[in-house]
Amino acid sequence: QVGLFFWRPDLAAPVVYYHDLGWQLGYYTFGRGLDRRWFEDDDALAADARRMRGAQRYLVLGEWEPLPRLSDAGLRLRSLFAAQRADGSVSFRIFAIEEDAFVGEGGALVP
């Protein structure tokens, strides 16, 4: 289900961040023009995602993985998709990484 999400024709060279799904993500999206990026921790994800302004940025997490904290970097996560197991429980989630509308350059709050 996650692999099929990234085969949608409306995605143009997206950046896809992951932590625990290395070879699996590569296998199910092989041949698709994705910029796959592993991140070590929340700070590394936030720093890289900030540099990729203007790009379509996505985060794929297994249900066992905690949500990264990105608000200090002026970023937020918007839930897009939840893959489900046969019993209906969620297995993986896909999020869009977006600029926080209330944080300006340098992290200053915008009124």
Side-chain angles (χ1 to χ4, degrees):
Q1 294 170 347
V2 170
L4 286 174
F5 178 91
F6 288 110
W7 278 97
R8 296 182 359 228
D10 62 331
L11 296 179
V15 177
V16 180
Y17 294 98
Y18 65 91
H19 187 266
D20 287 357
L21 300 173
W23 74 265
Q24 298 93 334
L25 186 61
Y27 179 83
Y28 287 107
T29 60
F30 182 77
R32 178 69 170 104
L34 303 178
D35 183 354
R36 296 174 201 86
R37 296 183 181 207
W38 178 81
F39 66 94
E40 182 175 359
D41 56 26
D42 295 2
D43 292 336
L45 171 60
D48 195 76
R50 289 288 297 161
R51 283 193 297 271
M52 298 305 295
R53 276 189 142 157
Q56 292 179 322
R57 299 166 293 185
Y58 297 93
L59 172 65
V60 179
L61 293 177
E63 55 83 21
W64 62 90
E65 296 181 85
L67 286 176
R69 292 182 176 206
L70 301 178
S71 60
D72 289 346
L75 300 170
R76 66 173 178 224
L77 297 176
R78 182 170 52 93
S79 181
L80 296 177
F81 179 77
Q84 297 181 342
R85 297 179 183 95
D87 67 3
S89 63
V90 172
S91 55
F92 302 99
R93 295 188 186 276
I94 300 173
F95 299 89
I97 300 174
E98 301 175 336
E99 304 296 321
D100 190 334
F102 300 104
V103 179
E105 286 298 316
L109 291 178
V110 177

